[in-house]
Amino acid sequence: MAAGQPARPDIIKLTGIAAVGYHGVLEHERRDGQRFIVDVALHTDIRPAAAGDDLTKTANYAELADQVEAIITGEALQLIETLAERIADHVLRTFSVAAVEVTVHKPHAPIQVEFSDVSISIYREQP
C-alpha cells in the first residue's frame, strides 16, 4: 500500500437505478423490454474532494446515474452478465476510481417458479 493511501478504499454507492431495457435471450424480452435495476459501488479515495468540498475531485453520482440509465436503455443484449460488464467498463474508463462493483437485477426474468429477483454482481479493478 502506498503512503497516504487508506487501508480500505472509500465507497460511493448508487443503488436502485431503474430503467426499461431490452435484454434477454427470448425474443419477447428483446421486443417488449422489462425493468432492470442496477447498483453501482465506486471504490475511490474521497479525501481530496472532502478536503476542498470540491465536486470536481470526486465522482458526480448524478452523471453516473444518467450514464448507467443510458447503458440500460441502449443496445439490446442477451445476457445481464454482458450488461454488467459494459457498465463496469464504462465506469472504469469514465471516472477516477480504483475499482467498481456492479449488480444488475432482473426482477421480471421469465422464470416459471415464484422468485423475487435474479441478479449478477461483478467487481472490476483498474488495469
Side-chain angles (χ1 to χ4, degrees):
M1 175 180 0
Q5 293 296 315
R8 183 172 158 237
D10 303 318
I11 301 173
I12 299 170
K13 290 184 180 179
L14 186 52
T15 59
I17 304 166
V20 173
Y22 298 85
H23 314 294
V25 174
L26 302 177
E27 189 270 328
H28 71 80
E29 293 179 288
R30 296 166 70 82
R31 180 189 65 230
D32 302 335
Q34 62 189 283
R35 188 169 188 243
F36 291 84
I37 302 166
V38 174
D39 306 325
V40 182
L42 308 177
H43 294 247
T44 189
D45 183 355
I46 66 163
R47 291 179 295 178
D53 197 27
D54 186 350
L55 177 62
T56 66
K57 294 184 178 179
T58 189
N60 182 325
Y61 47 79
E63 290 177 6
L64 173 63
D66 289 342
Q67 293 167 11
V68 170
E69 180 188 41
I71 295 169
I72 295 169
T73 61
E75 179 187 357
L77 304 167
Q78 291 191 42
L79 303 176
I80 60 174
E81 291 87 341
T82 307
L83 182 58
E85 287 285 353
R86 296 249 175 116
I87 293 168
D89 180 63
H90 175 80
V91 169
L92 291 174
R93 285 185 294 105
T94 306
F95 295 92
S96 180
V97 297
V100 62
E101 292 177 69
V102 176
T103 300
V104 175
H105 302 267
K106 188 175 180 179
H108 304 293
I111 297 174
Q112 298 305 308
V113 299
E114 186 175 338
F115 73 101
S116 62
D117 192 21
V118 172
S119 67
I120 179 81
S121 295
I122 63 172
Y123 173 88
R124 300 292 181 264
E125 295 180 341
Q126 287 289 358

